[in-house]
Amino acid sequence: MQDLSAFCCQNPKCADFGRRGVGNLSVTDHYGPQDARRMLRCATCEARFSERKGTPLFDARLPEEKVLAILAHLDEGCGVRKTSRLVGVNKDTVTRYAIRAGGHARELHDELVAFSPRDARGAVRRKMGLRGQKGKELRPQ
């Protein structure tokens, strides 16, 4: 049996939408190059979707290695033109994947921040004695 606990239903109308590890997903088919990608089915709403749905790799035309190389270069701070030269793709392609990944990162951030404490950064900085500008202690406001 394949581990599908990292996936969740992608149908917004489903009762299990966004819930991981519920056990409602099964593999119905394989597709793509060498049938490497899985088609998933939700038992709750009976929707079918790709395992890549909801990720920057969904509907990608480039090989996965090139997309990951683009994102790695951008993560390291390379510009769009430099990344396009290093990876060997058009600069518009780099921009398209940067926009895709940025939207995905925003959604993931919003999901994760919903579960984080309200003032975690300030409390941690004060607890550790980290200083603000010009060596002054950070004071609670």
Side-chain angles (χ1 to χ4, degrees):
M1 179 107 184
Q2 299 178 30
D3 182 26
L4 301 175
S5 62
F7 300 100
C8 60
C9 182
Q10 297 293 312
N11 179 6
K13 296 177 182 176
C14 180
D16 289 329
F17 172 69
R19 296 179 56 206
R20 290 180 174 83
V22 180
N24 60 326
L25 299 179
S26 61
V27 178
T28 60
D29 200 5
H30 290 81
Y31 73 101
Q34 291 86 37
D35 286 338
R37 299 181 193 130
R38 297 177 289 190
M39 183 66 69
L40 305 178
R41 179 185 165 274
C42 175
T44 306
C45 67
E46 304 204 4
R48 290 175 31 135
F49 52 89
S50 167
E51 68 180 339
R52 288 183 162 193
K53 175 102 175 174
T55 72
L57 294 173
F58 180 65
D59 203 25
R61 302 291 189 243
L62 290 178
E64 184 174 344
E65 297 78 31
K66 279 203 176 197
V67 175
L68 295 177
I70 289 170
L71 298 177
H73 285 292
L74 293 173
D75 184 46
E76 289 294 322
C78 292
V80 171
R81 290 176 189 266
K82 185 174 185 179
T83 300
S84 72
R85 284 192 307 272
L86 290 170
V87 179
V89 296
N90 188 295
K91 64 180 178 59
D92 295 337
T93 302
V94 174
T95 302
R96 184 173 62 251
Y97 282 105
I99 291 170
R100 274 187 184 188
H104 180 69
R106 183 184 315 108
E107 291 171 10
L108 182 61
H109 173 267
D110 292 345
E111 178 182 331
L112 295 175
V113 168
F115 298 108
S116 65
R118 290 183 68 131
D119 191 24
R121 179 181 145 94
V124 169
R125 290 178 62 87
R126 285 190 297 276
K127 185 175 181 180
M128 293 177 59
L130 297 176
R131 298 179 180 272
Q133 293 180 349
K134 297 185 181 178
K136 295 180 183 177
E137 286 285 332
L138 291 173
R139 304 265 185 229
Q141 297 175 358

